[in-house]
Amino acid sequence: MNPSKSSRGAAMWALLSLAIGSFGIGMTEFVVMGLLPNVAADLLPTLWQSNPEAAIGQAGILISLYALGVVVGARRSRVLSRDSHATG
């Protein structure tokens, strides 16, 4: 049984969108890690002047919170997507 050309095309588009989305989410985390000293200096200027390492550590929590939000959001959107397909 061969899949139709349209279903293979749809699968290819789905795979491409997943790849681009994964790349985008990964890049937002890795780019911020490179900019972390600048983010810490902008968000915590007084702490940055006295202890730059502590400011970077506190600003690094932002990356962890973003990653946690991605994990929770992905799970939630998957559950909501499954529920909407089951009822639709």
Side-chain angles (χ1 to χ4, degrees):
M1 184 168 171
N2 292 332
S4 68
K5 187 173 182 173
S6 64
S7 67
R8 280 189 279 154
M12 184 61 99
W13 280 110
L15 183 60
L16 180 64
S17 66
L18 284 172
I20 291 172
S22 297
F23 178 78
I25 289 172
M27 286 305 295
T28 56
E29 292 178 18
F30 291 122
V31 167
V32 171
M33 283 193 299
L35 298 174
L36 196 53
N38 297 339
V39 171
D42 286 344
L43 293 179
L44 304 164
T46 56
L47 182 58
W48 177 260
Q49 290 175 356
S50 64
N51 189 353
E53 289 83 16
I56 291 173
Q58 286 187 7
I61 294 172
L62 292 173
I63 295 174
S64 299
L65 292 175
Y66 173 76
L68 181 64
V70 168
V71 169
V72 170
R75 174 73 177 149
R76 184 178 176 113
S77 65
R78 172 64 184 126
V79 168
L80 292 174
S81 173
R82 185 183 65 211
D83 290 344
S84 69
H85 288 143
T87 59

